[in-house]
């Protein structure tokens, strides 16, 4: 390390930023953590954080090992036909999580959110601002207030999280062996009713 | 303790049976555990297990601290009008779990099922045979095969488990502060569509 504590570029820098971000997100929550604070903890220039990750949601996605950019995936779903939003969300969820290593990462995320208050808060704030904020803003329509939109988005998320627990954890017959088409046919209309009635 | 290892009646016996049952269910799973084996491990006469608990589902409910008889609750829902099964299930779920100590017990159950294979297996077998078996048998109708019924029951359960995680764990705005009426209005039609379309 140099005397000023700044690291050179490369894999070490990226790893150092992720480690620092994990610390900051856990201590401050998602909302109160800045890229500047992450850079300071990592001992790197803030420009390097931008360079490696883009922005805060991408740093968070790296910390929780998402391996996808949720904003980009959601934008793609929302750009499609409104009457197919429900089914498209189900298929996107399955694309991200429904592989052997996807399940492992999903379970690690849920277990951590269920056992550590810091992880719970971090995940909640991230979901609200980077995932559901986008969905509800795009689907907002007259006559539905903000609180009801949040309820609807939360129940849609709950349906997918709960399905995943039945499929990956409890390995419930019927759910564990359903195809993506079967799940999309059953769950699509549920999400559609919640999000774009 | 008497020389034959049989315990006298009373609170100690009940507690000894629960401890023995916890051991047996964890080791053998729900299905393979018999009341006779529980009695043997507890060092009591099998008739005493019947006397204190009734049957295996009631012993299990005591082990996981359910504090309700799921079979009786489900029977009550299924005895009501078929077109209100979805909403009645939502209201029953909330009645059982939606108090401060109910939430604690729900979380303990889910955490345990998510982290110990024995607990997962035990809960899955109990749910299949004592909870969902009853629901799907009662709601079975022509043109829907057994596998699809299991999928439908599993997705209904997933919706409720997922809602509870959003409400009790993530404390997601909109879901965390929704009233029972609001939840019944949103979730009732979902469960109705899955279980009694």
């Amino acid at each position: 390390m140099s005397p000023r504590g700044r690291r050179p570029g490369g894999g070490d820098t990226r790893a150092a930023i992720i480690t620092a971000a994990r610390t900051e997100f856990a201590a401050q929550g998602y909302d109160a953590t800045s890229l500047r604070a992450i850079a300071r903890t990592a001992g790197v220039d803030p420009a390097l954080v931008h360079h490696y990750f883009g922005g805060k949601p991408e740093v968070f996605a790296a910390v929780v090992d998402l391996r996808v950019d949720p904003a980009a995936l959601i934008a793609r779903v929302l750009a499609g036909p409104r009457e197919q939003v429900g089914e498209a969300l189900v298929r996107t969820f399955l694309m991200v999580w429904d592989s052997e290593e996807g399940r492992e990462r999903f379970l690690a995320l849920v277990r951590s959110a269920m056992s550590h208050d810091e992880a719970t808060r971090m995940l909640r704030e991230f979901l609200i601002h980077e995932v559901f904020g986008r969905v509800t803003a795009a689907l907002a329509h007259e006559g539905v207030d903000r609180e009801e939109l949040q309820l609807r988005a939360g129940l849609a998320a709950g349906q997918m999280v709960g399905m995943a627990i039945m499929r990956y954890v409890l390995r419930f017959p019927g759910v564990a062996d359903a195809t993506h088409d079967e799940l999309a046919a059953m769950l699509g209309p549920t999400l559609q009713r919640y999000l774009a009635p």
Side-chain angles (χ1 to χ4, degrees), chain A:
Chain A
M1 260 168 92
S2 75
R4 293 182 55 215
R6 302 276 168 181
R7 292 158 190 274
D12 284 354
T13 305
R14 193 174 183 283
I17 293 169
I18 292 176
T19 302
R22 185 172 286 122
T23 307
E24 290 297 312
F25 283 133
Q28 317 294 335
Y30 181 82
D31 290 348
T33 296
S34 66
L35 290 190
R36 186 164 295 275
I38 293 170
R40 196 168 46 235
T41 301
V44 303
D45 193 276
L48 272 181
V49 181
H50 278 292
H51 169 72
Y52 280 105
F53 296 94
K56 191 159 75 165
E58 290 83 8
V59 179
F60 183 85
V63 165
V64 299
D65 198 18
L66 275 189
R67 310 214 186 156
V68 291
D69 176 355
L73 288 177
I74 288 165
R76 205 174 63 182
V77 168
L78 295 174
R82 189 184 168 99
E83 69 275 13
Q84 288 168 27
V85 160
E87 189 173 327
L89 283 171
V90 176
R91 290 187 186 276
T92 301
F93 182 97
L94 291 170
M95 188 187 76
V96 173
W97 300 113
D98 205 45
S99 64
E100 198 154 335
E101 59 84 30
R103 292 169 187 217
E104 287 304 316
R105 288 183 294 115
F106 178 85
L107 293 182
L109 196 62
V110 175
R111 281 199 188 104
S112 145
M114 290 197 65
S115 35
H116 306 293
D117 284 348
E118 304 78 17
T120 310
R121 176 183 169 200
M122 195 167 93
L123 187 63
R124 175 177 58 231
E125 293 177 354
F126 173 75
L127 287 174
I128 290 170
H129 294 127
E130 306 293 351
V131 180
F132 294 106
R134 293 168 199 272
V135 175
T136 53
L139 299 173
H141 44 278
E142 285 180 24
V144 177
D145 63 20
R146 181 182 156 77
E147 201 167 276
E148 183 178 330
L149 274 175
Q150 288 183 318
L151 171 60
R152 288 171 171 275
L155 294 179
Q159 171 69 89
M160 295 312 294
V161 167
M163 178 282 289
I165 288 175
M166 300 303 281
R167 184 171 171 91
Y168 307 150
V169 182
L170 284 181
R171 303 195 64 74
F172 203 81
V175 183
D177 39 28
T179 64
H180 288 198
D181 284 344
E182 285 166 343
L183 290 171
M186 291 295 288
L187 296 168
T190 301
L191 268 56
Q192 188 73 29
R193 186 172 71 83
Y194 291 152
L195 297 173

